[in-house]
Amino acid sequence: MEVVIEKLDHFGRGITYINDKICFVDFALPEEIVDIKITKEKKKYLEGKIIKFIKTSDKRVESKCPYFKECGGCDLRHLIKEEQEIFKTEKVKEILSKFANLSSNKVKDIVSVNKDNYRNKVVFHVKDKKLGFYKRKSHDLIEIDYCLNLDDRINKLIPDLKKKVKKDNTKSIMVRVSNDNDDVIINRDDKEIISSIKDKKYLITKDDFFQVNKFLTEHLYDEVVKNIKRLNSKKVLDLYCGTGTIGIYVSDYVDSVVGVEKVSSSIKSANKNKELNKIDNIKFIEGSSEEVYPKLKEEFDTVICDPPRSGLEKRVIDTLKEMTPKNIIYISCDPVTLARDLKILKEIYDIEEITPFDMFENTYHVECICLLKLKNK
Ligand SMILES: C[S@@+](CC[C@H](N)C(=O)[O-])C[C@H]1O[C@@H](n2cnc3c(N)ncnc32)[C@H](O)[C@@H]1O
């Protein structure tokens, strides 16, 4: 069946309509004319697979990765980088408009470094003593020798890891390398590593969250600092603080910071990071943001929130509405939950600006920083 692709959905799939029914076509680009085979037929949608290209887009590029399309890791390697950035910016605009009724002029230009080999962490899967990644939409394994997204120090470990999994019953192997030195954690049994972001050093262990894009994280955190300076922030609350990364990064510019994190090992790392960077105006509290924040007696002029994909818990939003800090800096890795939360917060906050960051190049994922200012009463 010959179809014309109209646009991309938020997962980077081509969209066409067949008898008014939406049809998703993997790896098809807008304005392309393709012959497709229907692979799934549901009540509300269809899925199709490209059989033949009739007309290709000038935005299409030959992927440099031999595993692309079969491997579940990347979604957009067939699209030139500039268009990947436009896709992500438009996606953020559409989601914020649809779910939070926000004007697209609030969304600034995407920040990107446009580099391969950006990831400092990976989880390899192991099946039948072979090492690789899960195939697209499946738990079958595609064996790999190299991944273009990974820091080359991880790629160089692959031959040894392949030998290792032949000899034992490992199901998965996590590897994390430092951004700037030879420290490495393999398969959760080493201890900690130290990684730097600009002049700050962070000790991280196997269970701690740490941003994976070794090139872009400093730009993300610099944006937080830019806002902290611009807002003349003095007392900062860093909710979902992980190993204290952001709080420590902004500590030079404010009077005091309190960090809250629920994972015990991360709080331990955060306290070590406070020592490592010789910082005395920050303290960390172990506990969930929804338990700890409502009980905090101090007032903060700026609250930084960097929650997981699920976004802010209702109790955190309720507490923000009750405590009314002057500013909120919300860092999000899921525009849908960001939009859900902004819809509520915008009752009392002006959404000043949202800056997307291309932290996960070649995938459909996008990170955002959003600045909120309390409305004048
Ligand atoms: C996206 S990470 C951000 C970490 C840190 N801000 C950074 O940039 O390195 C989210 C963090 O929130 C923590 N977390 C998840 N749910 C939480 C909750 N309900 N309360 C406090 N921390 C939570 C996770 O353990 C993780 O460290």
Side-chain angles (χ1 to χ4, degrees), residues 209 221 240-242 245 261-263 287-290 306-308 313:
F209 175 92
Y221 291 179
Y240 310 87
C241 72
T245 36
E261 163 64 44
K262 78 168 182 190
V263 173
S288 69
S289 299
E290 60 275 25
D306 185 8
E313 289 79 11

Side-chain angles (χ1 to χ4, degrees), residues 326-338:
K326 275 204 299 213
N327 320 297
I328 301 172
I329 301 171
Y330 188 151
I331 302 156
S332 158
C333 57
D334 185 347
V336 174
T337 53
L338 173 67

